[in-house]
Amino acid sequence: MTDTPDRSDEDPDDAIIRATYRALSSHGYADLTMKRIADEYGKSTAAIHYHYDTKDDLLAAFLDFVIGQFKDAVHAVETTDPEERLELLLDQLLVKANDHPDLLIAMLEMRSQAPYNEPFRERFQQNDAYVRYLLETVINQGIDAGVFADADAEHVARVLMTIVDGARARAVVLDQETALSTGRRAAAEYVAATLEHRPEN
Amino acid sequence: MTDTPDRSDEDPDDAIIRATYRALSSHGYADLTMKRIADEYGKSTAAIHYHYDTKDDLLAAFLDFVIGQFKDAVHAVETTDPEERLELLLDQLLVKANDHPDLLIAMLEMRSQAPYNEPFRERFQQNDAYVRYLLETVINQGIDAGVFADADAEHVARVLMTIVDGARARAVVLDQETALSTGRRAAAEYVAATLEHRPEN
């Protein structure tokens, strides 16, 4: 997501999503209003309502956009080597998150609303299932190829996502610059402990 | 925290904190108002404002109460055996949390507001530092006693808290009953990988 000005030939949906991102960055989720998004969009709230009935509809579309960007980044990972691919996935989840600290804050606010907001909850659940599937697949490929030790790939993927979610939350809640790097190191240690071959005793 | 009715001889502060808990459980943080807390308290909002100037003052006091309850529970852990003490601390952090799912939801909402709310942020940071100190202390005791392998106790404590925060967030956001038990298993695996003595190769 770049901060370039909206071009006049840009898709209105894209321009509104980018305006939503800027408004979320400036005001946070709790103080987000259609008026503030419209101000960033440079048009009236009516122009936004023409595309999205409610603020929650727009935010659900915003989540789809963020999740889509993540999927694009993952698809750009071309290596098929299981060890390298797992490392690059963990970098995407725990290192690249540093690039957009204001997005991490807004996402934690939206995540905390999941119990009250079904469209949010569905998107977070689907995205989590998707990322766990990616992790499980690469772990099972490594086990099949003999580069990883035999392990419960489904459980390992869940633990890695627990570390990812914990590190991201701590970066926001505790304002800790080191939270993501601690999480990255923890993920590497957990992978080493569960997936590295150990000498037979 | 119990759901017993307020007794007439109860400390007003305690009664208001309990009313806040019930209002948070019913409405969540985002829809919490002084009026709703007063309804639970059975008195006017003025009676609450006599004790707390603002809703945020009251919620900061509520956080102090929740953190105090956790400290009391930790102090009740009497064993000094490092291995057993570490297990019991992790049970407090990851198993007992199951007892109050509505409190987990409200706490995640308040945690997500930490970037905007300094009194919240200070309390979460202080509580995190306190729990990490407890974990580090018991880990260092175990290392000194020779029951744990030599390790970076400060880092291990940070990783365990990353797992705790991740598991609690996932229990709320993804509505996953298994999130806390996955976190407890991950913590045990991480402790085994970093603190158990390994045979020399």
Side-chain angles (χ1 to χ4, degrees), chain A residues 140-159:
Chain A
N140 279 323
Q141 282 170 347
I143 293 170
D144 291 345
V147 293
F148 291 148
D150 196 23
D152 178 350
E154 204 253 332
H155 172 68
V156 174
R158 279 186 193 277
V159 173

Side-chain angles (χ1 to χ4, degrees), chain A residues 130-149:
Chain A
Y130 171 73
V131 181
R132 284 190 287 108
Y133 165 80
L134 290 176
L135 292 167
E136 256 184 81
T137 301
V138 68
I139 291 165
N140 279 323
Q141 282 170 347
I143 293 170
D144 291 345
V147 293
F148 291 148

Side-chain angles (χ1 to χ4, degrees), chain A residues 8 12 27 58 96 104 120-121 133 147:
Chain A
S8 57
H27 306 290
L58 171 51
K96 299 280 178 190
L104 274 187
F120 286 11
R121 183 167 67 249
Y133 165 80
V147 293

